[in-house]
Amino acid sequence: VQLQASGGGLVQAGESLRLSCVAPRSIFSTFRSYDMGWYRQAPGKQREMVAAISSGGRTVNADSVKGRFTISRDNGKKKVYLQMNGLKPEDTAVYYCNRGYFGTDYSPVDWGQGTQVTVSS
């Protein structure tokens, strides 16, 4: 399953971006049943979860982005969004959306092409 993320760019610290992720047509009919998430990977660091949203709309966020980032979904448009406010240089990374599932924690299954977010100080 190829998920397509977009919306990245170069911004200054304190500014905002909204990332979007559209599901492929192959899962359009079942999109609303999936848990979805956003991960990021900074240069030289491991990939880490940023936020996730269940099929029922329950959300979880990494401590590093609480109060600044918001994940949401539009099942009609088959999209997941990540609203990022108050961006910091340490948020610089490639951001990936994925399909996964909630167990004890959120676990990603399918990955898509990432989008680069660069925050200058």
Side-chain angles (χ1 to χ4, degrees):
V1 174
Q2 286 293 319
L3 297 156
Q4 183 65 51
S6 61
L10 172 63
V11 297
Q12 293 188 333
E15 294 185 340
S16 300
L17 279 175
R18 187 175 83 153
L19 305 183
S20 298
C21 174
V22 62
R25 287 189 174 276
S26 61
I27 63 170
F28 266 17
S29 62
T30 52
F31 176 78
R32 64 176 59 248
S33 68
Y34 297 131
D35 302 331
M36 303 293 293
W38 286 94
Y39 272 61
R40 67 185 180 187
Q41 187 167 22
K45 294 188 177 181
Q46 288 189 331
R47 199 171 289 189
E48 63 175 357
M49 192 199 78
V50 176
I53 185 167
S54 73
S55 59
R58 177 172 69 94
T59 63
V60 294
N61 293 281
D63 288 342
S64 59
V65 305
K66 282 181 179 177
R68 299 189 298 126
F69 291 10
T70 302
I71 187 171
S72 62
R73 65 190 297 159
D74 184 332
N75 290 331
K77 294 182 178 179
K78 323 303 182 188
K79 288 186 174 182
V80 179
Y81 303 99
L82 185 68
Q83 178 66 43
M84 305 186 295
N85 299 329
L87 283 161
K88 304 176 180 179
E90 52 263 44
D91 294 319
T92 295
V94 178
Y95 284 70
Y96 301 88
C97 69
N98 49 61
R99 178 179 66 161
Y101 62 92
F102 277 99
T104 303
D105 299 305
Y106 175 77
S107 298
V109 175
D110 295 316
W111 294 86
Q113 187 175 357
T115 185
Q116 176 71 46
V117 172
T118 304
V119 185
S120 63
S121 58

